[in-house]
Amino acid sequence: MSEAPSTVPVCYRHPSKETYIRCTRCDRPICPDCMNEASVGHQCPECVAEGRRTQRQARTAFGGSTAGRAGYVTRALIGINALFFIASAVVGGGRAIAGAGGWFGLMGEGTSVTRWGSVLGYAPYVLGGEPHGIAAGEWYRLVTAMFLHYGALHLLLNMWLLWQLGRYLEEKLGPLRFAGLYLLAGIGGNVAAYLFTAPNAQAAGASTSIFGLVLAMIVVNRRLRLDITQLIPLLVINLLFTFTVPNVSVAGHIGGLIVGGIVAVVLAYAPSNRRNLIQGLGCAAVFVVLLIAALLRTQTLLG
């Protein structure tokens, strides 16, 4: 006599395995190897994957990704600054480590790396007799200057502040928005140094970005209705440092502070219904204004 076929359901992914459990979403039979525990019952792998694709990702209060909690951008920025300093140390040796003005020297001649990447308006007869500087077409200086330092103490002070402020702001804003804030504040400070210091004066350091982060943290906490009383002394101390310590780029610090504050206002106060558009256009507008200011300064120096 022939054996009657089994009527026990089998797993849709493993036909050799019998099961009486079904996916709560699609009702397909699933074996223990395919089960994914859900709030009610179990789901198959396909339904779980579909749910992840359609599930709305968590965002910060300002529309950023919650991946900022890991602080990857902050860590990357510190790493980039460290790499630039290592390059300066390899080229300049002890001079790069201690700084051109000793351990407390924050500005100066520096090594060939700092001379290559610092803010320099226009120097017609340096480095082999060829003109150098932003006005001579070396626009990269507006970016590279924020990653160069004139000594180990200069680097350590800035990186300590970046570690403290950066992780907090990256968590609140998200990685992309925080990176935009940092870069725009740095460029803003470098453009200010280009505009308001002597053409042959050099300036470098992450301080332009750091000052922007200080004011940005105040703006963000104000928007979130958090206490800012502990941040005011930090701002005051940094301003006193700017105006009392010799050889500090006052224009760079104040420029970074102002631009960082403006960008923070754009990011923090953009209305939620069109947040991404307004934040993107606002940051782009800040960049365009800085570019126009640098172009006008170039025309003045070359005219």
Side-chain angles (χ1 to χ4, degrees):
M1 295 178 63
S2 61
E3 186 177 350
S6 174
T7 58
V8 178
V10 296
C11 175
Y12 80 101
R13 298 179 74 224
H14 304 98
S16 62
K17 296 183 179 181
E18 297 180 347
T19 179
Y20 287 97
I21 300 175
R22 292 179 176 272
C23 174
T24 55
R25 292 187 65 179
C26 66
D27 201 41
R28 289 183 290 192
I30 50 177
C31 68
D33 292 338
C34 298
M35 291 183 207
N36 290 275
E37 188 174 353
S39 55
V40 178
H42 299 83
Q43 294 182 7
C44 66
E46 279 75 8
C47 288
V48 171
E50 178 65 24
R52 288 173 178 170
R53 286 194 295 268
T54 58
Q55 185 179 11
R56 184 176 180 180
Q57 294 183 348
R59 313 297 291 182
T60 70
F62 307 109
S65 168
T66 55
R69 295 171 182 171
Y72 292 129
V73 173
T74 301
R75 298 170 192 270
L77 290 171
I78 293 175
I80 294 172
N81 279 275
L83 288 175
F84 269 96
F85 186 74
I86 291 172
S88 295
V90 170
V91 173
R95 185 180 183 84
I97 301 297
W103 284 95
F104 292 91
L106 301 181
M107 291 180 64
E109 181 183 355
T111 68
S112 60
V113 175
T114 51
R115 290 195 298 271
W116 162 81
S118 62
V119 174
L120 176 67
Y122 189 61
Y125 304 111
V126 296
L127 302 179
E130 298 180 1
H132 285 271
I134 300 170
E138 296 173 345
W139 290 86
Y140 63 86
R141 292 175 179 271
L142 293 175
V143 177
T144 55
M146 74 177 82
F147 298 107
L148 294 170
H149 294 83
Y150 286 107
L153 181 62
H154 191 198
L155 173 72
L156 292 174
L157 286 174
N158 282 332
M159 294 305 99
W160 178 76
L161 284 171
L162 175 55
W163 179 248
Q164 298 297 323
L165 301 173
R167 290 179 301 160
Y168 180 85
L169 287 170
E170 187 177 352
E171 177 185 352
K172 299 301 181 185
L173 298 174
L176 182 61
R177 288 163 176 79
F178 170 69
L181 167 67
Y182 185 91
L183 293 174
L184 284 173
I187 294 173
N190 291 337
V191 169
Y194 180 39
L195 294 176
F196 300 110
T197 57
N200 61 345
Q202 298 182 47
S207 305
T208 52
S209 296
I210 300 301
F211 266 73
L213 297 187
V214 172
L215 188 53
M217 195 166 177
I218 294 175
V219 171
V220 166
N221 276 15
R222 185 71 176 175
R223 182 69 177 88
L224 295 174
R225 298 182 180 179
L226 299 175
D227 182 34
I228 62 172
T229 54
Q230 296 181 349
L231 299 174
I232 301 301
L234 176 63
L235 177 61
V236 172
I237 290 172
N238 277 277
L239 289 174
L240 289 175
F241 178 85
T242 298
F243 289 103
T244 57
V245 175
N247 298 325
V248 170
S249 176
V250 176
H253 286 191
I254 300 303
L257 180 77
I258 294 173
V259 173
I262 293 173
V263 174
V265 169
V266 171
L267 297 176
Y269 287 90
S272 57
N273 58 339
R274 304 181 69 182
R275 178 185 288 134
N276 292 342
L277 177 63
I278 293 176
Q279 288 174 338
L281 291 177
C283 291
V286 171
F287 179 75
V288 170
V289 170
L290 294 175
L291 181 60
I292 292 174
L295 288 171
L296 292 176
R297 174 61 168 167
T298 299
Q299 289 184 349
T300 301
L301 292 177
L302 298 179

